[in-house]
Amino acid sequence: MRFVDEFRNKELVYILIEKLKGFSNRTYTYMEVCGGHTMAIHRFGLPSLLPKNFKLISGPGCPVCVTSKSFIDKAIAYSQNHDFVITTFGDLIRVPGTSSTLEMEKEKGADVRIVFSSLDALEIAKLEPKKTIVFLGIGFETTAPGTAIAVQTAYRMKLSNFFLLSAHKVMPPAMESIINAKTQLDGFICPGHVSTITGSTIYDFIAKKYGIGCVVTGFEPTDLLQAIYMLTLQVENSLPLVEIQYKRAVTEKGNSLAQKILNEVFYLDDDWWRGLGIIPKSGLKLNQTYSKYDIERKYPIKISQSENDDGCICGDILRGQLTPYDCRLFASICNPNNPIGACMVSTEGACQTYFRYKKNG
Amino acid sequence: MCLSVPAQIISLDGEIAEVSIGGTIFKAGIQMIENPAIGEYVLLHAGFAIQRISEDEANITLNIIHEMQSKINHKK
């Protein structure tokens, strides 16, 4: 088994579509909160396969899209120091800050390097002891443990030139803020890979407190369609639950080893989400033991705060209240070659996804 | 960023494994996997193996969907 092709089987897709056609009494609206799901849904053409009474909306699931402008501005400010090496995942380098991007700074001579893993940044720190290596930690619970491991390794090796600028975030508070923003939805398609780490119980409060069902979902077309079927059964039976569709990778308890690593290195603090504002206890920051690896603590910087984007409606799109088609900049001034907002930069952002797969509607 | 890819462990060396995705070899940190074994499938994300993948559960999921075919019944 290869765990990919089998879940793209056309026959299974058609079986699930036929099952969904059996639900025709009302409209069902489900939100996904994972950039990987945004991309998979549109890449596999699911909106055109689904019966018309099923509506899928994108939420704040793209970690690049919700990274604040001030984070980019700070990274850019650090990159101005010629003794600093900024190491980052590739999808961050074109995200606009207030007036520049890391890519533009690299073109002007800043030492900005794309890495595949936090361990690559650590390796650079070991090989270049005279440089100050700053790793830009972005991503949700899927990615944060890898950053935590890099910090733990730096601590163990007594590395003095490796630092973290963290924009890591956790998903459930953002899901709650979507509900509180009164976005109309009947269920959540929950992030499959976040949940491999956290387990499915992190969504229990959504079903219990808000009566909205959650299904933890994989990334292939049959996964997504099966999850939509499971959510629809919940709605039809008025029984909001937390269920796991992605059972080959997700359990209720999750990866306890990864959770232990996370809890040892990070604590939860209030954090700014682009488009959503401040969400309490949603950002992962280095705790006391590892705080010396926080670049802002070692080299504090001041930047002017500006989170406004002229004409950009990424915030409304991230809340699921508007789509890219509602944006007057979409596919004209704002496109992948000239992104105005983060949602157009990231391959998992709703705007770039729409541009690539359904530009003309 | 969210994507993780199924990969098979082909060698282990301390905290680093070599994993294969369709024949292409990558290095992966295996600090999050308890007792990893060669031949097992894991999810590779940003240079780390983040979770095992269960072939049994994968087969169960596929069978559930296959079985739906006999029960397709349009609601009126």
Side-chain angles (χ1 to χ4, degrees):
Chain A
M1 175 172 290
R2 294 187 57 192
F3 302 102
V4 173
D5 301 346
E6 300 86 353
F7 292 89
R8 295 182 184 180
N9 183 314
K10 262 193 216 171
E11 187 195 334
L12 299 183
V13 166
Y14 289 134
I15 290 171
L16 288 160
I17 294 292
E18 283 304 305
K19 290 296 281 186
L20 290 171
K21 283 178 183 174
F23 301 102
S24 54
N25 292 336
R26 50 163 285 179
T27 301
Y28 305 93
T29 302
Y30 303 124
M31 173 180 273
E32 44 81 5
V33 285
C34 169
H37 280 153
T38 310
M39 196 167 63
I41 284 166
H42 292 285
R43 179 183 167 202
F44 295 119
L46 297 192
S48 61
L49 289 175
L50 285 165
K52 297 279 178 254
N53 57 322
F54 285 85
K55 189 176 165 203
L56 301 181
I57 54 178
S58 285
C62 160
V64 169
C65 303
V66 299
T67 295
S68 67
K69 201 185 282 193
S70 62
F71 181 86
I72 304 295
D73 290 342
K74 283 178 194 170
I76 288 171
Y78 285 122
S79 78
Q80 311 293 296
N81 186 322
H82 293 298
D83 292 326
F84 279 41
V85 178
I86 306 301
T87 55
T88 176
F89 295 122
D91 26 10
L92 203 62
I93 69 163
R94 299 182 68 228
V95 176
T98 300
S99 56
S100 187
T101 66
L102 286 166
E103 185 179 53
M104 287 164 69
E105 295 304 309
K106 184 177 168 69
E107 285 167 5
K108 288 191 273 183
D111 197 343
V112 178
R113 303 186 202 177
I114 292 173
V115 294
F116 176 66
S117 165
S118 60
L119 296 181
D120 296 337
L122 207 56
E123 196 59 27
I124 293 171
K126 283 191 267 177
L127 291 172
E128 299 184 46
K130 291 185 181 166
K131 294 281 190 178
T132 297
I133 311 304
V134 182
F135 177 65
L136 304 185
I138 59 162
F140 297 122
E141 294 97 323
T142 331
T143 322
T147 301
I149 288 167
V151 171
Q152 285 180 322
T153 307
Y155 181 88
R156 215 166 51 233
M157 297 175 66
K158 297 182 169 48
L159 273 182
S160 60
N161 64 329
F162 176 83
F163 294 92
L164 172 67
L165 184 65
S166 175
H168 284 299
K169 296 171 170 48
V170 297
M171 184 45 65
M175 294 167 77
E176 188 165 32
S177 85
I178 293 295
I179 297 168
N180 291 331
K182 310 286 182 215
T183 300
Q184 293 299 308
L185 53 110
D186 299 305
F188 279 107
I189 297 170
C190 292
H193 293 138
V194 160
S195 308
T196 63
I197 302 293
T198 63
S200 64
T201 54
I202 61 165
Y203 310 109
D204 284 351
F205 77 100
I206 292 177
K208 286 184 187 152
K209 185 176 172 188
Y210 296 104
I212 295 175
C214 297
V215 173
V216 180
T217 309
F219 294 81
E220 302 302 334
T222 54
D223 292 322
L224 288 153
L225 290 170
Q226 187 183 23
I228 291 167
Y229 176 70
M230 291 163 74
L231 281 168
T232 307
L233 282 179
Q234 289 187 20
V235 172
E236 287 295 298
N237 295 322
S238 300
L239 192 63
L241 296 169
V242 177
E243 294 184 271
I244 302 171
Q245 179 282 330
Y246 196 25
K247 286 194 171 176
R248 58 195 186 275
V250 178
T251 61
E252 280 185 17
K253 288 188 182 160
N255 185 329
S256 53
L257 201 49
Q259 289 165 30
K260 186 171 173 229
I261 292 168
L262 268 180
N263 292 335
E264 188 184 295
V265 173
F266 291 115
Y267 73 97
L268 282 171
D269 200 1
D270 300 348
D271 205 3
W272 180 279
W273 293 56
R274 199 191 289 229
L276 301 180
I278 290 185
I279 300 183
K281 299 275 187 273
S282 65
L284 290 168
K285 303 297 172 192
L286 292 174
N287 65 23
Q288 186 76 14
T289 308
Y290 299 97
S291 60
K292 65 180 178 182
Y293 296 101
D294 181 346
I295 188 66
E296 289 189 271
R297 189 165 177 265
K298 176 77 176 177
Y299 299 107
I301 50 165
K302 271 197 180 148
I303 48 145
S304 53
Q305 302 278 339
S306 163
E307 293 292 333
N308 293 325
D309 289 310
D310 291 331
C312 173
I313 61 164
C314 272
D316 294 311
I317 292 170
L318 289 166
R319 284 189 295 275
Q321 290 166 346
L322 292 173
T323 74
Y325 295 133
D326 297 312
C327 180
R328 62 189 173 90
L329 307 179
F330 174 69
S332 57
I333 297 168
C334 185
N335 55 70
N337 287 333
N338 181 47
I340 305 297
C343 297
M344 184 59 85
V345 173
S346 173
T347 54
E348 295 173 357
C351 296
Q352 197 189 112
T353 300
Y354 271 57
F355 188 92
R356 285 166 71 189
Y357 294 111
K358 48 192 289 186
K359 185 166 74 167
N360 300 314
Chain B
M1 276 242 52
C2 302
L3 277 180
S4 306
V5 184
Q8 188 175 33
I9 297 175
I10 59 169
S11 74
L12 293 164
D13 182 10
E15 290 184 330
I16 302 293
E18 282 190 332
V19 299
S20 167
I21 300 172
T24 303
I25 311 301
F26 295 88
K27 288 202 186 304
I30 46 163
Q31 297 88 337
M32 295 184 244
I33 306 293
E34 280 194 75
N35 303 318
I38 290 171
E40 280 193 302
Y41 278 88
V42 292
L43 283 171
L44 176 66
H45 174 80
F48 290 91
I50 61 168
Q51 186 58 286
R52 284 187 166 86
I53 313 174
S54 162
E55 188 163 352
D56 287 345
E57 286 291 352
N59 281 322
I60 290 170
T61 299
L62 293 168
N63 287 337
I64 286 172
I65 302 171
H66 271 296
E67 283 167 16
M68 285 182 187
Q69 187 163 34
S70 62
K71 296 174 189 167
I72 286 173
N73 179 23
H74 290 275
K75 272 182 85 167
K76 302 222 166 117

